[in-house]
Amino acid sequence: MCLSCQTASVQNPTAPRTFTHDGDITSRRAPTQFPFGTLTEDAGRSADPVLVEIVQGSLAAVEHEVETAIARTSRSPMIRDAHDFRAGIHDRLLRKLTGRSYSALVHPVARDFPIEEMREGDVFFHNDVYLSEGGIGHLPDLCVTVPVFAGPEGERRVVGFIQAFGHHDDIGGAVPGSMPSHATSVFEEGLAVPPIKLWDAGVPNRAALRIMTRNSRMPESLAADLDAECSACLMGARRLGELFDRYGIETVEACFDAIIDRSTETYRREILSKIPVGTWTWEDYAEHDGVDEPQLHTQRITLTRTAADDPEGERLILDFAGTSPQAKGPINHCGDYSDGVFLKKWLAPILRNLADTPERMAELDVNEGVVPLIEMRFPPPGTLLTPVFPAPTNARTFVILRLLGVLAGVIAKAVDGRMPADQETIRYTGVYGEDLEGRSYLMREVLGGGSGGRYYADGEDTIHVVPDSRNLPSEFTESRFPFVVESLSLAMDSGGAGQFRGGLGYEKHIRMLKDAHFMSIADRSILACWGVKGGKAGKPFEVTIDPGGPNEREVDALADAEPVVAGETIRIRTTGGGGWGNPLDRDPELVVRDVVWRKVSPEAALADYGVVLTGSLEDDSLAYDADATAAERASRPAPAEDDAFFDRGPGYGVLAGGAAAAAVDLL
């Protein structure tokens, strides 16, 4: 279907709507339709392949320039230093063209503001979870969208969109940071803004900006960050407009179609072909929601790979039936809007693990081209993935991160384990209070964790799901906040044992110089990152205050205001990735290397890997006894054919009534 003339509103006036008491649309069930189409009659097949490469490179350059501008001109540590934001470029059919990073959606803007009425210099803004068509997961994620114009004077029209969204320090709500771990309603989580026009033809809406900054505990940072994002996106719109001016609208749009079509065909040929036709089911769990006692909050995927002659096409069907009811606390995620378009692009990077080589995997972008290859089937409203307004969502990472692992796990069942083991790569920790001069502060950090072992290599240490993100530099935090970073290192033994070991998490020690409060939004503190095909689970998340001191105490992974007095140390250990394959099959030389590198302890070398060490770390003589190691490994029981394919660690039994594995863990 050619939609080359479709620049009008995508609103479907005949579709049923659901309203709140004040008339706002609260659900996709179903207020709008966003058809997947093409800009040209031949879907870009006649585009010059050399020019397609030039256009694709130009898009990547514009996206990078936008992100660089935001990083250099923003103010908050979360945006400027941790880089917890991303940009995206979309065409006028709302299709995402760039694939280096995930991004929010243009859909809610196009739903509420007819495209043909937009003007150059307009900037649209939103963060309302329930009115974002699934593109915004929690209120601290603020989204800026700028239309791109091209064409001769008097005939200029919208040809695309530049968008940026990122996690901001504070947007109001019950606690500093706008992520109350015990929230039972979205109204406790901060200021929700539906799509609005924040700049009108180049003129900022000062009243709207004042309302937003007035609701923030950090108004100056919020104002500076928004200014940086708006200015960067306006600059990006000019850059993209120059591309259209250089080559012409029709030519560039043909390249857009070619980019997306090429992505679709690449994933069909190189990725779907690796999954046999059939159906498999697997599930994983969030462990707590901040309100009820810890329990298994199930996220289940039934994966069906259809055949090439299927009447509706060759594709993957992801059925989420069996997912738990929506939680009382804030771990819900609005995934079922716009037929799950955001969730498709969020989950699709997992598929790249099926590429022929790691190098090829890195070359595969995730843009709108993956959308036709994935069909999503959601349970009725009222589940973790289909929450009903005003269910809280600020800790929705517990669900969307887990779904990455659920998809990896269910595919692992289909391909004999040739997928990575589990990882948990994002959690929020921080402290707040008054500094030594009596000024209020909030320091929040997104620390990474270890990724899962793979069938060809160990997992990576301390990675983060947000591209280009990083932990806050110790020199910066010590100069700005009243604490000392006494150590930051890899957490020894945190990676799950395996033929290929799981990556390690962080261990960070912060000593407070003044009384403060500690906050944490984290999962995987009871459950662990699972191992696969004989690999063992990694170590879970853990926070200890005053370790080894008179007031030593463990802190719950969901904490809003744990008191910490001056002189006490906060020890944070993040999750290790799961292991892949039987640890007894690991090369003993690699175990010795890991012990030398302080990634594995000498005790774990014997207990987990059956490696008998000789020599000493102190004089660089560490080695292993080959005969004793072979005897030790031979004395261990061989894996049984009916062993579970996944190892969830001891925490699973705590929440599952003592069960060692779930029924879906068996092949």
Side-chain angles (χ1 to χ4, degrees), residues 75 97 100 266 535 586 608:
R75 181 166 177 175
L97 300 168
R100 189 187 62 83
T266 297
R586 185 169 179 80
D608 295 339

Side-chain angles (χ1 to χ4, degrees), residues 41 112 285 308 474 560 601 628 646:
E41 291 288 352
D112 293 356
Y285 319 94
S474 298
D560 290 333
S601 67
F646 304 88

